[in-house]
Structures are given as C-alpha cells and as structure tokens.
Amino acid sequence: MKEIMLPYILICWILVKLGVVKWNLRSGTVMVGTGMFIATMLFIAHRFWSPADLTDSTTVKAPHAVLSPLFGQEVDQVFVTHNQIVKEGELIYTLRSEDTESQLESLDAQKKASEAEILSLRLQQNNDKKTLVRLEKLKDFSHDSERDDIRTDIETAEAKIAAAHAQIMNIEAQLASAKWQHERREVRAPFDGQLSITNITDGTRTGNMHLYSTSKKFVEMRIPDQTYRGIKKGQFAEFYVDAYPGEIFRGRVHSVTAGTGEAQVQVRQGSQHVRQHVGNNMNSHGRTIVIEFIEPEGYNIPIGSTGSGWVSADKPHPMLGFMDIIGGATVRLKAYKAYLSAL
C-alpha cells in the first residue's frame, strides 16, 4: 500500500528541488502530515470499495471426485502415475473381483437350470395333452378319473412353468446387478482432469484417489467482513499467483462464502463452552469469496497455487471509481514482488 504514495513523494521532492516550496520545519510538517492523511484515507476507502487480499492467501482450487474404494475392496492394478493428466473414460485402476465372477457364474448356472426345467415341463405337458386326447377318443372305455388326473397334471405343469419363468426373471435381475458391480471394478475417469500424488498401489485394501476437474478451476480469496455489503455476483476481479509472477489474471465474482468453519455447530448433544466460542472467534476472521475465471490459452495455472487478488466492489458514488486504481495497483505491485519471493 505504501508504494501508492510514491507519486506524492516524487511531486513533493520536485517542488522542493525547483524552489517552489522552501524546505523547512513548517513545510516539511505540512507535506508529511498531508501525505499521511492522504495515505490513511486512501487505505480506508480502498479496503471498503476495492478490497485487496493483503494476506496473500488467495488460492486456486478445483472441485474433485473421490474415486472409490476407501475400505473393503482390494486394488488389483494401478495404471496412472503422479500428477497425470487424464481424459474422460481413461482407466485409472482396477479392483479384484473374484467374488463377483463366482456370483455371475452361479447365477448363470441357475438360469440355465431353470430353462432346462421349463423345457422338461413343456415336454411332459405335451405328452399329457396327447394322452388326454387319446383318452377322450376312447370315451366310455376310459374312466373319468383318469382324464381328470391328466388335466390336473397339465395345469400343475403350467403352474410350475410360470414359477420357473418368475425364477428366471429374478435371476436376470440379480445378473444385471452383479454385472453392474463387475463393471465397477474398472475405475475410470468421470471427466477430464488431473491426478495428484498416486498414494495407492497394487494390493492395497485401503485408500483412494482424487481426480481434480481442471476445466472448473476457481479462485478463493479472503475479504474483510466490513466489505461484505459491497460484494455482488459478477463484479470485476483480478488476481495473480506466485507460479506466474508479474502476470495478472482476470475473473468475476461468483459468490460469497456463507458457511465458513466458524458457522458450524456440533451435531452431537451438548452446548459449546463459552471459552471455546471466544477462543475460536476472538480474532477477525473475515470471509472468502469465489472468483470464476477462464484460463488463458497456453497457461496451466496450478491447482493450489497462492497469490493475491482484488475486487471492484460497489461504491457510494460513481465518482469514487478511481479507487479501483489502488486495488489494481496493489495487486500488480505484489505480483512484481513475487519475483523476490523465490530468493
């Protein structure tokens, strides 16, 4: 912020050197006092109407998918390495599936057995129908009880066939579920993204991997709570990250973070201790905002990189629009200083 006063200091130096202002205790006091007053007013106004992140905690983030399993299944093979860029559908790792394969074989055998039972019942039913026809042709030479028994056998076979069909439908449903589970043994990328550290290997029974969506990167930036009323969706914002020192990226305010960690309450029974509440909230926390941006062509802004940013907040009057110069200048000076951070 102090760098903003460099033009004022230069003007005062020129006036003294040219003799326009005679340097003495009185003029020196006026110049220094005026400079301090201007710096204080600009700083206060800038913090309200063009807030910049002076903590250098602005961070590039991205949503991620947690690829199962965490417990219970054994990893068979891992096909990726650290920080690899993957495309949607690319195979990441596979799980062991001996149980699923045995279940599929068992269900397939049950289905074939039911189909064979239906075939057997159909043959028996056809034979019974032929026997019934012959008995009906004999008329008085056959007993009614014999014909009734044959009819009962035909109806019983039809009922057994219906039950076998129902059993096949149940087996097919189980087969579909087992096949779905079998297909899930291949863990594939649900979208284009980037992996981080590959922290699992063949044979592990615990652990999983995270896949970051590189097409949905965003920036999270801290602002003072006092500027909350001036922040609106769609406002212009700029930021830099140490990975690209001296370069400025532009974006728009997406939203203000509402549910911060300080807002959370315990779900288990019991009241929070007063000393815990005071201890957690005695310092000024502020809040964060989400800035959405489009990554420039040819750039790969690393996820997790930090820097600083500023936002053009609402102002009481359009004439105060020049305050955005301070926010923009502050971030640009920080971006140039980023070169020195590597020393």
Side-chain angles (χ1 to χ4, degrees):
M1 180 64 196
K2 57 183 177 294
E3 291 87 351
I4 301 298
M5 296 304 298
L6 290 176
Y8 175 79
I9 296 172
L10 179 61
I11 292 173
C12 292
W13 180 80
I14 292 174
L15 291 176
V16 172
K17 283 295 181 181
L18 294 178
V20 178
V21 176
K22 186 177 181 180
W23 181 256
N24 52 39
L25 179 62
R26 181 175 179 277
S27 62
T29 302
V30 171
M31 285 184 177
V32 173
T34 303
M36 293 180 63
F37 175 78
I38 293 174
T40 302
M41 291 298 101
L42 288 176
F43 178 77
I44 294 173
H46 144 68
R47 294 300 284 165
F48 278 99
W49 301 322
S50 61
D53 176 21
L54 302 182
T55 62
D56 295 341
S57 59
T58 297
T59 307
V60 178
K61 299 183 178 182
H64 66 273
V66 180
L67 306 178
S68 64
L70 183 58
F71 299 104
Q73 288 180 290
E74 183 178 344
V75 173
D76 185 17
Q77 287 182 288
V78 179
F79 298 92
V80 293
T81 186
H82 307 299
N83 306 311
Q84 182 174 330
I85 303 292
V86 297
K87 297 294 184 180
E88 181 178 356
E90 189 171 338
L91 183 62
I92 296 178
Y93 60 88
T94 57
L95 307 172
R96 293 194 183 277
S97 60
E98 285 82 355
D99 293 342
T100 307
E101 290 176 354
S102 299
Q103 185 182 8
L104 285 170
E105 292 173 359
S106 174
L107 290 171
D108 190 57
Q110 292 179 37
K111 182 179 178 180
K112 290 179 179 178
S114 296
E115 290 173 346
E117 182 183 359
I118 291 174
L119 181 60
S120 174
L121 289 169
R122 285 294 183 194
L123 291 173
Q124 181 183 348
Q125 191 181 50
N126 291 334
N127 290 333
D128 289 339
K129 288 180 178 179
K130 292 177 181 178
T131 302
L132 180 61
V133 171
R134 288 195 295 267
L135 290 174
E136 288 177 344
K137 287 182 179 179
L138 293 174
K139 296 182 181 179
D140 295 338
F141 294 98
S142 63
H143 296 288
D144 291 339
S145 58
E146 291 178 336
R147 292 193 292 269
D148 291 340
D149 290 340
I150 294 297
R151 292 190 184 96
T152 301
D153 291 342
I154 293 173
E155 293 174 357
T156 301
E158 191 64 36
K160 289 181 179 180
I161 289 171
H165 277 299
Q167 180 68 18
I168 289 176
M169 292 178 64
N170 182 42
I171 293 172
E172 287 177 345
Q174 294 181 52
L175 272 171
S177 176
K179 287 179 180 178
W180 181 75
Q181 290 289 346
H182 185 68
E183 290 173 356
R184 285 176 62 85
R185 66 179 287 274
E186 294 184 345
V187 180
R188 297 182 177 274
F191 47 77
D192 295 348
Q194 182 178 11
L195 300 165
S196 56
I197 299 299
T198 302
N199 58 356
I200 61 174
T201 188
D202 303 356
T204 182
R205 288 185 175 272
T206 60
N208 50 26
M209 297 179 68
H210 291 184
L211 176 64
Y212 293 90
S213 178
T214 52
S215 64
K216 297 181 179 179
K217 293 179 184 177
F218 63 91
V219 170
E220 189 169 7
M221 167 187 156
R222 180 188 177 276
I223 60 169
D225 259 332
Q226 290 79 0
T227 63
Y228 172 76
R229 291 184 299 176
I231 302 298
K232 300 291 187 297
K233 179 178 179 180
Q235 288 173 334
F236 177 78
E238 289 183 326
F239 68 95
Y240 89 94
V241 291
D242 289 332
Y244 289 96
E247 299 194 43
I248 303 298
F249 303 96
R250 294 179 174 180
R252 296 281 178 181
V253 175
H254 175 274
S255 56
V256 180
T257 304
T260 61
E262 292 77 26
Q264 295 180 357
V265 294
Q266 297 180 357
V267 294
R268 62 185 179 88
Q269 192 275 336
S271 300
Q272 184 184 33
H273 294 292
V274 174
R275 62 178 179 273
Q276 182 180 0
H277 170 79
V278 174
N280 289 340
N281 298 282
M282 64 187 302
N283 296 322
S284 176
H285 297 297
R287 62 183 58 248
T288 61
I289 60 174
V290 174
I291 299 174
E292 55 185 359
F293 69 98
I294 297 176
E295 198 168 40
E297 187 176 355
Y299 285 79
N300 181 20
I301 302 177
I303 299 169
S305 56
T306 59
S308 182
W310 75 279
V311 177
S312 176
D314 283 350
K315 301 169 181 60
H317 195 277
M319 291 182 62
L320 295 174
F322 73 93
M323 296 302 304
D324 288 345
I325 298 175
I326 301 177
T330 301
V331 171
R332 281 163 173 78
L333 288 170
K334 284 180 171 290
Y336 300 144
K337 286 182 179 179
Y339 285 104
L340 303 177
S341 300
L343 300 179

